[in-house]
Amino acid sequence: MNLSLRSIFTISVFLLSHFYCLGQKKEVTDRKIYEYLDQYSPESSEMLRLLYSLPSKYELNGVTMNLTKEQPPSSWVSDHSEKGILKRLNTVVHESMHGLTSRLPYTLLKEQGDVYYNFKDDYSAFYVNKDSSFLVKHSPVFSSNEISNEIPKALRTFRFRPYIAPRNKILGSQAHGIYGLTDEWNAYYFGTKTALNLFDYYKSKSDQNYEVYLEYVSNIAGTYYAYYEFKYFILKYLEYARSNEKEVYDGIISNYEFRKAFTSIDDRFTDLLREFDKRLDEIATITEQNTGNRAYIEDGYYFINVNGIGLFTEEVEMLKAELEEPNLKTLELALRVG
């Protein structure tokens, strides 16, 4: 074998070995993801198993649809260490929820009867648990980008980009209007809930170093305030529709299943935020009782000793104040059920 052929052969073997090892690593990571979720967040594990049990081919009212294969959970993990996997579980569940929201409607339509299904119809299934989801048919919408000028610069928080601007014709949060924004809202709820549920894991590691709780808080702090951002975006969308797109507004308000989904997500996310506050207090109590060190909130940061994690308090307080404005409060009440 000459030198060039030997080189090509060596490179080929190396590449095959590399991709084989990478594939093995992803398989191990997938197993680890399920193990952690089974132990610490069973409802998230149930959601993932439901997603990957769904068929990729559907026949609805004479229409055959072949859906692309869902990416495995490990696709959202780059660091395959234990710490790396735990850090990304929030994202794994969030992104998987998008897949379920878009795929589950076809299964629910088959169960309920597909005779009225039209290929041009858009649906979302806003998941609650393995036994309950809201099947929502989309009414006419406009791009969420249309409301970008309605958002004051001071309130263009982290998720204003890319969910509202710049204009993107294929991004779900824009293309599907209020339904796409609600899909994001629901995904952020489930991702954040998963991160919150990992408390016992970090508690089991705290005897080595109590500041491990800062990793736990960090995994939640980055996404919990999406509750305020997306609720604000949803209500601003509705406000704009009422003033400029009456047909769109009327379609949303008359969409009872969507209103039930909105109410359910709002209530569950609100409960999650209360639970997060209690968990921060619990960490402070445990830390002081066991080490004599302080865990406390100061200037928008959660500190243990001298190290702190930002809680985005300024953004939260601005959005909370805006959501209490009479015009948005009226729209919230119009959208909620019960």
Side-chain angles (χ1 to χ4, degrees), residues 40 196-205 216 279:
Y40 300 107
L196 188 70
N197 287 344
L198 296 175
F199 179 67
D200 285 343
Y201 169 84
Y202 287 95
K203 189 175 182 180
S204 71
K205 305 294 182 182
Y216 170 72
R279 190 56 49 77

Side-chain angles (χ1 to χ4, degrees), residues 25 198 238:
K25 186 179 290 184
L198 296 175
L238 197 60

Side-chain angles (χ1 to χ4, degrees), residues 44-78:
S44 302
S45 180
E46 287 177 348
M47 183 277 290
L48 280 182
R49 286 187 164 86
L50 173 60
L51 172 61
Y52 291 103
S53 73
L54 296 178
S56 58
K57 182 178 179 179
Y58 291 90
E59 292 186 4
L60 293 168
N61 198 18
V63 177
T64 300
M65 285 172 292
N66 292 291
L67 306 181
T68 57
K69 186 177 180 181
E70 198 67 34
Q71 295 187 71
S74 57
S75 300
W76 311 108
V77 178
S78 55

Side-chain angles (χ1 to χ4, degrees), residues 41 109 163-164 200 241 246 251 271 287 297 312 316 334:
S41 188
L109 284 164
Y163 296 111
I164 303 296
D200 285 343
K246 191 64 164 56
D271 289 342
T287 301
I297 295 175
F312 302 93
V316 167

Side-chain angles (χ1 to χ4, degrees), residues 21 78 101 104 106 110 147 179 187 211 233 273:
C21 291
S78 55
T101 301
L104 184 58
Y106 302 116
K110 290 296 289 185
I147 72 169
Y179 302 106
E211 291 187 8
F233 295 153
L273 298 180

Side-chain angles (χ1 to χ4, degrees), residues 199-333:
F199 179 67
D200 285 343
Y201 169 84
Y202 287 95
K203 189 175 182 180
S204 71
K205 305 294 182 182
S206 65
D207 59 339
Q208 302 163 28
N209 178 8
Y210 266 75
E211 291 187 8
V212 74
Y213 283 126
L214 289 179
E215 293 178 22
Y216 170 72
V217 174
S218 176
N219 293 342
I220 302 165
T223 58
Y224 85 98
Y225 71 102
Y227 165 78
Y228 302 101
E229 292 176 300
F230 281 97
K231 185 172 183 179
Y232 177 62
F233 295 153
I234 289 165
L235 294 178
K236 290 296 285 185
Y237 187 99
L238 197 60
E239 180 184 53
Y240 184 89
R242 184 178 61 180
S243 299
N244 301 281
E245 299 277 357
K246 191 64 164 56
E247 181 183 353
V248 172
Y249 176 80
D250 289 342
I252 294 167
I253 291 299
S254 63
N255 194 334
Y256 190 62
E257 284 301 305
F258 172 67
R259 291 174 57 207
K260 288 197 295 184
F262 172 88
T263 304
S264 174
I265 298 166
D266 191 27
D267 288 346
R268 285 180 285 121
F269 220 145
T270 299
D271 289 342
L272 184 156
L273 298 180
R274 292 195 192 99
E275 191 175 348
F276 182 38
D277 285 340
K278 291 179 181 177
R279 190 56 49 77
L280 293 177
D281 290 340
E282 184 178 356
I283 292 171
T285 300
I286 292 172
T287 301
E288 185 171 351
Q289 287 178 346
N290 290 281
T291 69
N293 295 315
R294 290 180 63 218
Y296 57 96
I297 295 175
E298 186 176 289
D299 296 329
Y301 284 78
Y302 189 79
F303 285 95
I304 295 181
N305 297 325
V306 297
N307 296 317
I309 293 295
L311 297 177
F312 302 93
T313 305
E314 183 178 351
E315 292 89 339
V316 167
E317 292 305 318
M318 283 195 303
L319 288 166
K320 284 172 72 173
E322 197 68 21
L323 288 167
E324 290 300 318
E325 288 293 315
N327 58 324
L328 294 190
K329 206 66 185 173
T330 298
L331 287 167
E332 178 188 352
L333 293 174

